[in-house]
């Protein structure tokens, strides 16, 4: 299921590409995505000790924020992180996908919300089915406390707008 809307929000397109997203805000979204993905990374690392691909992807995303890695390299790293989750139980798979989405923010800023959504899915999948909603809500609260202040209203609005294509994980 796609997590990107068919019509792109100009607020998530960089100024140099005709949108209104500043580099500073793009970097803030990328860092928040990295924080969300990193928070659930233990689900992957417990399932695959020694496989550093998702953690390295998050590091590449942060290196892109600092201007140390070109966007194309960051974009390629997203596929590596996604591949790390293949065939794993849902908590580990979703954690790897969150890392892939986080590093993909360098290429398409709208992926920031995918990192958060997959992290929420990882948290919900990590507990018994009866406890999944509570785990998702706890993770959602954790994430929302860490939204960069200058972007808080925008992120909350984007969560509402894309909730349906993000498996309904932002309800609450």
């Amino acid at each position: 299921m796609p997590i990107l809307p068919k019509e792109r929000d100009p607020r998530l397109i960089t100024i140099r590409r005709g949108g209104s997203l500043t580099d500073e805000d793009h970097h803030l979204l990328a860092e928040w995505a990295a924080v969300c993905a990193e928070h659930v990374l233990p689900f992957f690392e417990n399932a695959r000790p020694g496989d550093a691909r998702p953690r390295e992807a998050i590091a590449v995303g942060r290196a892109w924020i600092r201007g140390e890695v070109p966007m194309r390299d960051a974009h390629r790293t997203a596929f590596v992180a996604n591949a790390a989750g293949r065939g794993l139980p849902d908590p580990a798979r979703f954690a790897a996908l969150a890392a892939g989405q986080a590093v993909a923010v360098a290429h398409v800023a709208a992926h920031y919300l995918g990192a958060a959504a997959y992290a929420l899915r990882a948290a919900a999948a990590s507990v018994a089915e009866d406890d999944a909603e509570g785990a998702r809500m706890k993770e959602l609260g954790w994430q929302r406390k860490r939204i960069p202040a200058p972007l808080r209203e925008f992120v909350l609005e984007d969560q509402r707008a894309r909730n349906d294509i993000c498996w309904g994980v932002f309800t609450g």
Side-chain angles (χ1 to χ4, degrees):
M1 176 177 255
I3 57 152
L4 299 175
K6 290 178 182 174
E7 288 190 38
R8 294 182 64 193
D9 185 331
R11 296 172 298 174
L12 288 169
I13 300 170
T14 58
I15 291 169
R16 67 185 154 281
R17 291 194 168 176
S20 60
L21 183 66
T22 65
D23 287 345
E24 180 181 346
D25 286 349
H26 194 174
H27 293 162
L28 287 172
L29 291 172
E31 177 57 28
W32 184 68
V35 166
C36 291
E38 194 170 51
H39 192 241
V40 298
L41 201 52
F43 299 132
F44 177 85
E45 292 174 335
N46 290 336
R48 281 277 162 90
D51 186 342
R53 291 177 289 175
R55 184 167 293 284
E56 289 170 358
I58 293 168
V60 167
R62 286 188 168 127
W64 171 80
I65 292 167
R66 295 187 303 270
E68 299 167 359
V69 171
M71 179 276 293
R72 289 175 202 248
D73 291 349
H75 184 223
R76 280 192 289 270
T77 305
F79 299 105
V80 175
N82 291 342
R86 284 195 193 114
L88 294 180
D90 283 349
R93 182 169 61 94
F94 293 145
L97 291 170
Q101 290 289 309
V103 71
V105 175
H107 179 247
V108 174
H111 282 293
Y112 86 95
L113 203 60
Y118 276 116
L120 291 166
R121 292 186 79 187
S126 72
V127 298
E129 191 174 330
D130 289 348
D131 299 325
E133 180 65 9
R136 182 189 65 80
M137 290 301 295
K138 182 178 178 183
E139 186 69 15
L140 181 60
W142 185 92
Q143 288 181 359
R144 286 182 172 170
K145 287 178 185 173
R146 286 151 181 85
I147 296 171
L151 298 174
R152 182 170 180 71
E153 290 309 313
F154 169 74
V155 170
L156 293 175
E157 178 186 325
D158 198 25
Q159 286 180 348
R160 287 187 295 274
R162 290 202 273 160
N163 189 50
D164 288 346
I165 62 172
C166 289
W167 313 282
V169 296
F170 297 112
T171 303

